[in-house]
Amino acid sequence: MITILDVVTFGETMVLMVPDEMGSLQYIYNYKKKIGGAESNFAIGLSRLGHKVGWFSKLGDDPHGRFIKAFIQGEGVDTSRVTFTGEAPTGIFFKERYAARESKIYYYRQGSAASTLSMDDVDEDYISQARFLHITGITPALSQTCLKTVMKTIDLAHEKGLRVSFDPNIRMKLWKTRRMKEVLIDIIAKADIVMPSVEEGELIFGTASPEKIAEDLLKLNTGIAVVKTGAAGCLVGTEEGMKRVQGFKVEQVVDPHGAGDGFAAGFISGLIDGLDAEQSAKRANAAGAFATGVMGDVEGLAYREELETYLSGKSAFYR
């Protein structure tokens, strides 16, 4: 008997190698092994908030792939539809850290197992017993088969009555600009909830105005447009109007990576719990801010109790 899921998501997760020291990777010898993948980050974020979520992908039949599946499963995410292949490797990427500027990322994902995803890897019954399908703009950029899989899975989700949430999560290294806009707009037109940052909105629509970005999203039949505005919070747009939702002050940002995935998890968590768009945005802002306090893509994602304490403005004491 399949467990009913709140959300199902899919996409590439890779092994992430984080150096122990700052500086050029040319002179770094020691690393910590972690995982990184927008969709699995999102899934783990939702799981920690108490929701039932499934994530699937295709991994290499190698130690890296087995490590990734075990890690995500260990976070309470259902990985029963993950498949392995001996024909392609698991992707890997390295983070280069500097004190004076943003981290630099080096990807080794071309020809990876996840880039061979097709509809043969999508279980229709598994999709149909969820309430939401969450996708990002990373998966359709990996390959033509991934693009087709994303588009067909969205159509399947709508046929089964799921709401579709979309985080553009633009990775310029994966796209040609013109093609990127065409694909992302096609996906936006099929999504019920869209959550770009201002920078992503500008790349897609040519404007840095959160209100104009939200307006353009709503014109494409998006039900809820959520434009992330960094430390300021976000702008929520629906057919009822637009509302700015204030962000949470972070005294020291340790690692901004994963904050956007935490934000998305917080927003969908709110909708699952029956909150309106504005209340869900407040939860999303808190989840995104909370995630920046720890090094790593998933390590800082909040558990339900932690997030509720953070939202209340109270301090938690542990003895």
Side-chain angles (χ1 to χ4, degrees), residues 9-319:
T9 186
F10 68 98
E12 182 167 40
T13 296
M14 298 177 287
V15 167
L16 166 61
M17 302 300 290
V18 180
D20 286 345
E21 304 170 73
M22 294 186 183
S24 170
L25 295 186
Q26 181 177 348
Y27 305 105
I28 300 295
Y29 300 94
N30 298 310
Y31 297 82
K32 288 183 173 66
K33 184 172 75 171
K34 301 175 181 287
I35 71 162
E39 299 84 4
S40 58
N41 295 346
F42 166 83
I44 290 170
L46 272 176
S47 177
R48 291 188 181 182
L49 293 176
H51 303 292
K52 294 179 180 178
V53 56
W55 168 85
F56 67 90
S57 186
K58 184 178 283 186
L59 297 166
D61 189 10
D62 51 41
H64 299 313
R66 292 190 288 274
F67 163 68
I68 288 170
K69 182 182 178 183
F71 185 101
I72 296 171
Q73 183 177 343
E75 289 285 346
V77 175
D78 183 75
T79 59
S80 61
R81 297 308 185 272
V82 170
T83 58
F84 291 89
T85 176
E87 302 299 315
T90 303
I92 188 168
F93 66 117
F94 292 77
K95 182 179 291 187
E96 190 171 61
R97 299 165 52 210
Y98 291 91
R101 59 182 172 86
E102 190 174 341
S103 300
K104 193 171 183 179
I105 305 296
Y106 295 89
Y107 294 106
Y108 299 89
R109 70 196 311 173
Q110 188 171 1
S112 68
S115 71
T116 68
L117 273 168
S118 71
M119 282 304 293
D120 291 338
D121 302 300
V122 179
D123 184 331
E124 291 192 15
D125 290 335
Y126 189 70
I127 299 291
S128 67
Q129 49 80 61
R131 296 170 58 188
F132 290 83
L133 169 69
H134 179 77
I135 56 173
T136 78
I138 298 173
T139 308
L142 296 178
S143 68
Q144 195 61 31
T145 60
C146 282
L147 172 58
K148 290 179 179 178
T149 302
V150 166
M151 302 307 283
K152 289 182 178 180
T153 304
I154 292 173
D155 290 339
L156 171 65
H158 282 309
E159 288 173 15
K160 302 296 183 180
L162 281 71
R163 297 174 74 182
V164 175
S165 68
F166 177 53
D167 183 346
N169 233 311
I170 294 174
R171 299 289 185 271
M172 292 305 299
K173 290 182 179 180
L174 298 175
W175 288 107
K176 291 183 179 178
T177 303
R178 183 177 177 182
R179 180 60 174 155
M180 175 195 74
K181 292 181 181 180
E182 292 173 354
V183 170
L184 295 184
I185 287 175
D186 284 347
I187 295 174
I188 288 168
K190 291 174 174 282
D192 302 291
I193 303 137
V194 183
M195 299 176 277
S197 65
V198 169
E199 294 78 12
E200 289 168 336
E202 186 172 12
L203 285 170
I204 299 168
F205 298 113
T207 176
S209 164
E211 288 79 9
K212 186 63 170 63
I213 294 168
E215 183 180 311
D216 288 343
L217 289 170
L218 294 172
K219 285 179 180 177
L220 290 169
N221 294 320
T222 297
I224 303 176
V226 188
V227 184
K228 293 171 283 189
T229 55
C234 65
L235 172 77
V236 178
T238 67
E239 62 179 9
E240 297 174 353
M242 298 189 189
K243 177 73 174 179
R244 292 261 186 175
V245 182
Q246 187 175 353
F248 289 77
K249 185 177 181 180
V250 178
E251 296 296 337
Q252 182 178 5
V253 175
V254 177
D255 187 358
H257 296 97
D261 303 321
F263 179 98
F267 191 84
I268 299 304
S269 170
L271 296 183
I272 293 170
D273 286 345
L275 302 183
D276 63 23
E278 184 179 342
Q279 292 169 324
S280 296
K282 184 177 180 181
R283 182 179 292 186
N285 284 338
F290 196 93
T292 65
V294 177
M295 179 61 64
D297 285 17
V298 302
E299 286 77 3
L301 296 171
Y303 288 91
R304 169 78 68 158
E305 182 181 357
E306 292 175 324
L307 193 62
E308 289 177 350
T309 300
Y310 189 68
L311 278 162
S312 73
K314 299 176 182 177
S315 297
F317 293 92
Y318 301 93
R319 291 180 173 85

